[in-house]
Amino acid sequence: METYKPAINHIDTDILIIGGGAAGCAAAIEARETSPHARIIIMEKAQIERSGCLASGINAINAYITENQTPESYLEYVKNDSHGLLRDDLVYTIACRINQATARVESWGLPIMKDQGKPLQKGPRSIRIKGESIKPIHAKKVRESAITVLNRVTATNFIVNRGSVVGAYGFNLRTGQFYAITAKGVIIATGGASGIYRSSNTGEIAHRMWYSPFNTGAGYAMGIRAGAEMTSFEMRFIPTRIKDSATPTGILAQTFNMPQVNILGEQFLKKRYGFTRDKKVTSCERLHYMFKELKAGRGPISFTMDHLTGEQIDDLKLTLLDMSPAFVLQWTANAIDKHQEGIEIGTSGPYINGGHTQSGYWIDRERRTTLPGLYAAGDVAGGAPKKYVSGCWVEGSIAATTCLADSAVQKETQLYEKDLQTELARTYKPHNLYNEKKDGIFPQEMETKLQKLMDEYAGGIYTFYDLHERRLQIAQRQLLELKKDGEMLLARDFHELNLCHEVLDRIDVAEVVIAHLLTRKETRWPGYQTRIDFPDQDDTNWLCFVNSIRDPRSGEIHMTKKPYDADALLKDLY
Amino acid sequence: MTITIDKKKCDGCGLSKQPPCMKSCPGNLIYKEFSMKKAVLRCGADCWDCYCCVKVCPKEAIDVVLAYEISNRGAFLKPKALDSNTIEWVLQDKQGNSTSYRQSTQYLPLEQDAADETFTEIGEGI
């Protein structure tokens, strides 16, 4: 059988943005506003009108400086929530601009709920919006800004010349056409990674998850393969979510004041663990103490809603339609009502994520990655937890500004034939293998195997998310075997070819996750990263970042401890 | 989870190479079977139940179906764009009681882009 020969599109541009979600769109629009004549391309795996985490919409801006808050108080809150370790400079630069970024998206048409002219608060640092069409609104602004959008083109690797990123390769997952896009600057904004671990839901409902199942860690994997420095992959994100539907719980807890109780009806966080209004539980502890209750046999944990009026329930359902319509249907189908056992809480994940936790590219204050020519924004960028949608907008803007300034002095962007041929061979290999002998492994099979081993040995729900050195070593060994099997992947069509690259990307991410989990020999974030062999927080040795670089030649992962110095990070900022 | 596409209602949006459902799916899970003039779902288990395709279908042919393991049968939820600023959702329980919710939005139709013009279906094996 002849080797598949795709049509090859070589496009040269000034700025290439990979990923057209909140961060990518904000970056593109900022770049256009700063530079009216720059050539700007967004490479997007789906269609920007409904791509990324916000496909269904969202009902709140979860990072916002409300009346009683300041950027300083915001930083303090996030730092406490992240157990004392984060990139103060990144969080602070986000906090200073989140309201401005929100106002900007409001000017594009995003409806923000108001109370006497002021944004209506959802919680202490969040506001409510009518965000069903948040993605179409972004897309409309992008289209008005003369930005080229390549929909259904998935990125496979960066084009790297002598250590600098000068573009990216990708292919159209419907037509199979290949793209080599050279650029003076590249902004990576592909989001985080789901599907590294087996989901709490499996089989037919495996994609009933909170994070987008289509955020597959491509941006991380491309950076890992190119030798970019990554941070904090051991801080996994495992949110408590409405059981089965994986719907966010914040709106229930904060806006509708629904208390969390165990099977005995106890508000266990207060009664058993002493958390109060003054001594607040952190995000990871919320999971940790819920599982303590489950292990003690006092599950399930539920929200009670006895206090809600019919009118409030209708308001809640309407709000949920802006983000999780499927849960509203499930609610009705199962006739959940306030006189029964309430709304049960489960978990979703673990996810690798830089927008809620802080896993991602190690970047400087201006959002430069460690690879010249590459900038990172949004969930793929590390160090700044709880940035949420509005933080992604800010990071997109900062990355675009830096990228434009740097690209004014950027080097030549040559595409070498040898590199192109290497990537072509790698990209279409599963398709060629299928045409050649039809014997091998389908990506769905490999994905399931990856998720199973990560679940059972690298701290999935199978072990209550707990971690142990020996188990992690088993995961590491099994993953190495699995990685070799990557050679045997088969793709019958281009959609399946994309699934092949998704699982290859996930394997590269998983390998780094395990290396990080093995390195941090303390429990920094109970719930997200509980080392049962090192159960305590150890500030003497581990109040530092764990970073990694995978050697692009040898494939070896080198781990480093980055000292943490909050004062140095905040120098000249405030 | 999954959606159903009503074969009687779906006409593949006529000559369209990329019907709105296919265009809006964030997971690239819908394709058009040109010979049958129908939109087809690739894999139910890969669906995120995001309702993006349901909202844009001009024939109201698509429905989200929750798996029986987590949801009883008999209820339905249907969105319909009333105008560019309102989506009306009709929610019905299995007894037939229905409630409607008016969602204010900035409902914007999917726009054509250059990629559509050059779009050709050369996928193999599907």
Side-chain angles (χ1 to χ4, degrees):
Chain A
M1 181 72 76
E2 222 177 283
T3 309
Y4 177 68
K5 295 224 165 27
I8 297 169
N9 304 281
H10 178 200
I11 306 170
D12 190 56
T13 187
D14 294 319
I15 295 191
L16 170 63
I17 297 156
I18 307 174
C25 289
I29 293 158
E30 178 77 39
R32 172 55 71 232
E33 285 172 4
T34 314
S35 175
H37 304 296
R39 295 167 300 166
I40 306 164
I41 293 179
I42 295 179
M43 189 193 264
E44 162 62 51
K45 183 163 82 169
Q47 165 97 18
I48 60 165
E49 273 80 2
R50 290 290 182 189
S51 64
C53 300
L54 305 179
S56 247
I58 187 166
N59 57 24
I61 297 297
N62 287 308
Y64 194 84
I65 309 299
T66 52
E67 243 181 352
N68 303 322
Q69 301 285 329
T70 60
E72 288 76 13
S73 71
Y74 190 83
L75 170 59
E76 195 188 322
Y77 156 74
V78 182
K79 188 167 176 162
N80 178 57
D81 197 78
S82 209
H83 293 210
L85 180 66
L86 47 61
R87 282 283 301 275
D88 301 65
D89 54 337
L90 302 180
V91 177
Y92 187 71
T93 48
I94 286 171
C96 288
R97 290 172 59 172
I98 37 182
N99 289 22
Q100 188 195 331
T102 305
R104 192 186 203 192
V105 181
E106 186 179 18
S107 78
W108 303 343
L110 179 70
I112 292 177
M113 293 170 80
K114 298 277 168 74
D115 179 26
Q116 296 173 348
K118 287 181 202 147
L120 182 64
Q121 274 186 236
K122 170 197 165 203
R125 284 157 293 267
S126 53
I127 57 171
R128 292 177 67 181
I129 61 169
K130 292 281 182 190
E132 185 283 324
S133 52
I134 193 165
K135 266 323 303 280
I137 290 164
H138 281 75
K140 180 163 179 271
K141 185 68 186 173
V142 165
R143 287 172 195 284
E144 287 167 2
S145 307
I147 290 154
T148 305
V149 182
L150 298 173
N151 285 314
R152 305 288 171 192
V153 176
T154 188
T156 56
N157 259 326
F158 293 122
I159 304 173
V160 185
N161 289 349
R162 287 182 294 279
S164 290
V165 172
V166 298
Y169 302 106
F171 69 93
N172 184 305
L173 42 83
R174 287 184 181 161
T175 66
Q177 290 195 12
F178 192 73
Y179 287 81
I181 301 178
T182 45
K184 288 178 181 156
V186 178
I187 299 171
I188 186 83
T190 48
S194 63
I196 305 290
Y197 286 82
R198 181 155 55 194
S199 158
S200 329
N201 291 329
T202 55
E204 281 303 299
I205 58 169
H207 276 189
R208 185 86 298 275
M209 57 171 75
W210 160 75
Y211 204 54
S212 167
F214 314 117
N215 282 16
T216 53
Y220 290 143
M222 289 161 64
I224 289 165
R225 291 193 288 264
E229 187 165 348
M230 296 289 170
T231 190
S232 308
F233 272 44
E234 74 280 14
M235 188 187 186
R236 307 170 304 162
F237 186 49
I238 311 166
T240 54
R241 291 291 180 256
I242 295 174
K243 186 173 167 290
D244 299 335
S245 88
T247 300
T249 49
I251 196 97
L252 281 68
Q254 293 183 325
T255 314
F256 291 87
N257 294 313
M258 291 162 71
Q260 275 185 44
V261 298
N262 62 17
I263 193 72
L264 304 175
E266 298 167 344
Q267 293 191 32
F268 60 95
L269 285 172
K270 188 174 164 194
K271 181 169 177 186
R272 294 191 179 262
Y273 305 106
F275 290 103
T276 60
R277 195 161 291 213
D278 299 321
K279 190 197 164 205
K280 278 211 164 68
V281 66
T282 63
S283 303
C284 62
E285 284 169 345
R286 203 174 277 287
L287 175 76
H288 178 68
Y289 289 105
M290 179 174 124
F291 270 79
K292 269 198 136 169
E293 287 298 284
L294 296 180
K295 286 175 185 174
R298 292 190 292 269
I301 306 299
S302 305
F303 282 116
T304 61
M305 50 176 174
D306 308 343
H307 62 293
L308 294 186
T309 63
E311 207 174 299
Q312 281 176 310
I313 288 175
D314 276 342
D315 181 22
L316 175 57
K317 285 185 180 171
L318 183 57
T319 298
L320 289 167
L321 286 173
D322 280 335
M323 180 161 66
S324 316
F327 175 59
V328 177
L329 174 57
Q330 195 186 354
W331 183 332
T332 302
N334 291 348
I336 298 171
D337 83 33
K338 62 181 193 173
H339 305 298
Q340 299 168 350
E341 49 287 354
I343 296 177
E344 194 177 331
I345 305 171
T347 55
S348 192
Y351 304 106
I352 307 304
N353 181 300
H356 292 252
T357 47
Q358 53 180 325
S359 316
Y361 283 83
W362 183 249
I363 50 177
D364 71 8
R365 200 182 279 178
E366 282 77 38
R367 273 60 182 180
R368 290 180 192 90
T369 71
T370 56
L371 300 179
L374 183 66
Y375 308 81
D379 281 6
V380 85
K386 294 197 173 282
K387 69 178 75 140
Y388 304 128
V389 176
S390 46
C392 290
W393 290 329
V394 176
E395 279 203 329
S397 293
I398 298 175
T401 308
T402 312
C403 181
L404 272 173
D406 289 359
S407 67
V409 293
Q410 183 70 295
K411 66 283 147 183
E412 43 84 43
T413 56
Q414 182 72 33
L415 173 66
Y416 292 101
E417 186 62 22
K418 186 169 78 56
D419 295 343
L420 174 68
Q421 292 304 330
T422 307
E423 186 61 10
L424 274 170
R426 190 188 83 91
T427 301
Y428 295 95
K429 186 173 179 180
H431 191 48
N432 287 324
L433 195 64
Y434 178 77
N435 286 339
E436 197 184 302
K437 57 176 191 178
K438 305 199 166 36
D439 181 28
I441 298 164
F442 286 107
Q444 299 85 347
E445 297 177 282
M446 190 165 286
E447 185 183 317
T448 308
K449 187 154 178 165
L450 166 73
Q451 291 168 354
K452 179 173 160 66
L453 84 88
M454 291 300 287
D455 183 33
E456 291 167 4
Y457 304 108
I461 197 164
Y462 187 81
T463 58
F464 299 107
Y465 306 114
D466 289 343
L467 301 154
H468 189 285
E469 187 98 6
R470 297 258 176 91
R471 274 206 298 274
L472 286 166
Q473 285 162 350
I474 297 172
Q476 200 172 34
R477 187 177 49 72
Q478 291 198 359
L479 191 69
L480 210 63
E481 295 285 311
L482 188 65
K483 207 174 163 182
K484 286 181 202 148
D485 286 350
E487 299 287 314
M488 292 154 71
L489 277 170
L490 300 175
R492 285 167 286 204
D493 56 35
F494 301 120
H495 177 75
E496 205 160 66
L497 185 64
N498 175 49
L499 298 181
C500 287
H501 286 284
E502 288 180 349
V503 73
L504 288 170
D505 288 345
R506 282 172 163 142
I507 289 171
D508 283 338
V509 174
E511 196 184 13
V512 174
V513 170
I514 294 172
H516 277 254
L517 290 170
L518 276 165
T519 304
R520 186 175 288 280
K521 296 190 195 315
E522 64 151 358
T523 294
R524 171 69 40 184
W525 302 284
Y528 295 170
Q529 182 257 342
T530 306
R531 286 288 304 250
I532 53 172
D533 42 355
F534 299 98
D536 302 316
Q537 183 173 317
D538 172 7
D539 280 351
T540 317
N541 296 302
W542 291 103
L543 186 58
C544 62
F545 299 99
V546 170
N547 285 12
S548 60
I549 296 175
R550 195 177 105 174
D551 188 313
R553 283 197 196 85
S554 69
E556 261 176 66
I557 299 170
H558 300 286
M559 305 303 302
T560 49
K561 286 167 79 168
K562 282 267 175 193
Y564 174 55
D565 182 346
D567 293 337
L569 288 170
L570 285 170
K571 194 164 177 280
D572 309 325
L573 277 178
Y574 81 86
Chain B
M1 233 163 316
T2 198
I3 53 163
T4 55
I5 304 171
D6 187 329
K7 285 208 169 73
K8 282 188 222 113
K9 289 182 184 166
C10 174
D11 64 355
C13 286
L15 295 174
S16 170
K17 286 179 177 169
Q18 240 201 124
C21 57
M22 175 174 171
K23 212 166 165 181
S24 64
C25 178
N28 192 40
L29 300 177
I30 302 173
Y31 66 93
K32 182 171 170 179
E33 187 62 70
F34 285 89
S35 58
M36 309 281 290
K37 286 200 174 164
K38 301 286 173 210
V40 182
L41 179 70
R42 288 179 208 275
C43 173
D46 284 354
C47 172
W48 195 27
D49 333 314
C50 67
Y51 276 86
C52 294
C53 58
V54 185
K55 288 172 190 168
V56 293
C57 176
K59 300 285 178 189
E60 296 177 40
I62 312 179
D63 232 341
V64 166
V65 180
L66 301 181
Y68 180 60
E69 68 180 282
I70 61 163
S71 172
N72 296 330
R73 296 263 164 79
F76 74 80
L77 175 65
K78 279 270 201 185
K80 185 179 182 168
L82 295 184
D83 55 50
S84 61
N85 296 109
T86 319
I87 296 179
E88 183 175 56
W89 293 80
V90 176
L91 177 65
Q92 189 175 305
D93 65 18
K94 63 178 168 192
Q95 283 80 31
N97 307 311
S98 73
T99 321
S100 76
Y101 296 89
R102 294 235 166 158
Q103 180 179 47
S104 60
T105 182
Q106 292 288 310
Y107 196 80
L108 304 161
L110 293 172
E111 288 178 35
Q112 293 290 315
D113 62 3
D116 295 346
E117 309 308 317
T118 57
F119 180 80
T120 44
E121 180 91 358
I122 55 168
E124 290 167 41
I126 49 175

